[in-house]
């Protein structure tokens, strides 16, 4: 029996490693309201997997599709925020949205999921982020806006692949941004489920 355990243990470890790899690599492309989100994305030199995707709606209007990319799959905001590597939220606009409406929605989502103390702690970073959103201005149907994070640079925002403003250092800001879609009071409950791979 001991000899069997000696032989079996390495084999079981190898198998568990294969299954673990399979789980991490199990992501497949997702179609969200006609927008294709690929199974993987390269962010800051790291290969991320598509955690989920969904649709942001206001009443009957489709506003944007969104996809969440992480180093490892996550089923909650806590799991997504606990990951130290790069991350991405990609928004693909499905209608024209004014810059003021975009900033208002961002501000509402942040305030709904931040305590007064949490907001005060990142006030400087929030001011920088709002300045970037002001610089983006009006967004049009088909525009792609990425909210990326890397430990080295912090939070960066791009529109159609072009960087907007400077990178904002620090992880707490990006965790707050994630909470807009994944927090206890998400901007859209159905979209939250989609981003977390829930049906």
């Amino acid at each position: 029996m001991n000899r069997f355990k000696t032989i079996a243990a390495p084999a079981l470890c190898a198998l568990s490693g294969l299954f673990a790899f399979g789980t991490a690599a199990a992501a497949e492309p997702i179609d969200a309201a006609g927008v294709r989100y690929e199974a993987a994305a390269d962010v800051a030199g790291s290969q991320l997997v598509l955690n989920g995707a969904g649709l942001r709606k206001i009443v009957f209007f489709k506003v944007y599709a969104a996809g969440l990319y992480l180093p490892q799959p996550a089923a909650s905001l806590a799991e997504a925020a606990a990951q130290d590597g790069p991350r991405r939220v990609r928004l693909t606009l499905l209608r024209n949205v004014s810059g003021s409406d975009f900033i208002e929605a961002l501000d509402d989502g942040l305030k709904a999921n931040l305590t007064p103390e949490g907001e005060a702690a990142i006030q400087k970073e929030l001011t920088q982020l709002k300045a970037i959103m002001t610089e983006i201005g009006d967004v049009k149907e088909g525009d792609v806006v990425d909210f990326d994070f890397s430990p080295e640079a912090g939070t960066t925002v791009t529109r159609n692949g072009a960087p907007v403003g400077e990178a904002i250092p620090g992880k707490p800001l990006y965790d707050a941004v994630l909470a807009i879609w994944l927090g206890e009071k998400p901007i859209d409950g159905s979209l939250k489920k989609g981003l977390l791979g829930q049906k």
Side-chain angles (χ1 to χ4, degrees):
M1 182 63 71
N2 288 339
R3 183 170 179 273
F4 173 77
K5 286 182 178 179
T6 301
I7 295 171
L12 289 172
C13 287
L15 283 172
S16 65
L18 284 172
F19 285 125
F21 176 79
T23 300
E28 296 180 354
I30 295 175
D31 181 284
V35 177
R36 180 182 172 89
Y37 284 91
E38 298 297 342
D42 186 282
V43 177
S46 293
Q47 192 78 354
L48 307 184
V49 296
L50 178 62
N51 197 75
L55 173 65
R56 165 64 169 149
K57 290 178 67 176
I58 299 178
V59 192
F60 302 109
F61 299 104
K62 298 177 181 179
V63 183
Y64 58 76
L68 172 64
Y69 290 89
L70 300 169
Q72 298 292 332
S76 68
L77 171 61
E79 289 182 13
Q83 300 185 30
D84 293 325
R87 292 170 279 170
R88 165 174 286 172
V89 174
R90 167 163 286 185
L91 309 183
T92 304
L93 277 295
L94 300 175
R95 63 186 298 109
N96 297 343
V97 179
S98 70
S100 59
D101 285 347
F102 205 11
I103 293 170
E104 182 180 355
L106 178 77
D107 199 38
D108 288 346
L110 287 165
K111 286 184 179 298
N113 291 282
L114 280 172
T115 63
E117 296 78 13
E119 184 176 357
I122 57 171
Q123 191 57 58
K124 177 183 175 183
E125 290 84 356
L126 288 174
T127 299
Q128 291 175 276
L129 179 61
K130 289 175 187 176
I132 288 174
M133 302 311 295
T134 300
E135 186 176 342
I136 287 177
D138 299 343
V139 285
K140 302 184 182 302
E141 181 179 352
D143 279 353
V144 176
V145 179
D146 288 332
F147 293 86
D148 289 351
F149 172 80
S150 70
E152 297 77 19
T155 299
T156 57
V157 181
T158 64
R159 178 183 183 181
N160 299 327
V164 182
E166 300 293 328
I168 306 172
K171 186 168 175 285
L173 173 67
Y174 199 83
D175 291 342
V177 170
L178 276 184
I180 295 172
W181 299 285
L182 306 182
E184 290 186 11
K185 298 177 180 178
I187 196 168
D188 186 311
S190 178
L191 175 56
K192 174 181 176 177
K193 288 182 179 179
L195 293 174
L196 293 175
Q198 302 166 357
K199 301 211 174 168

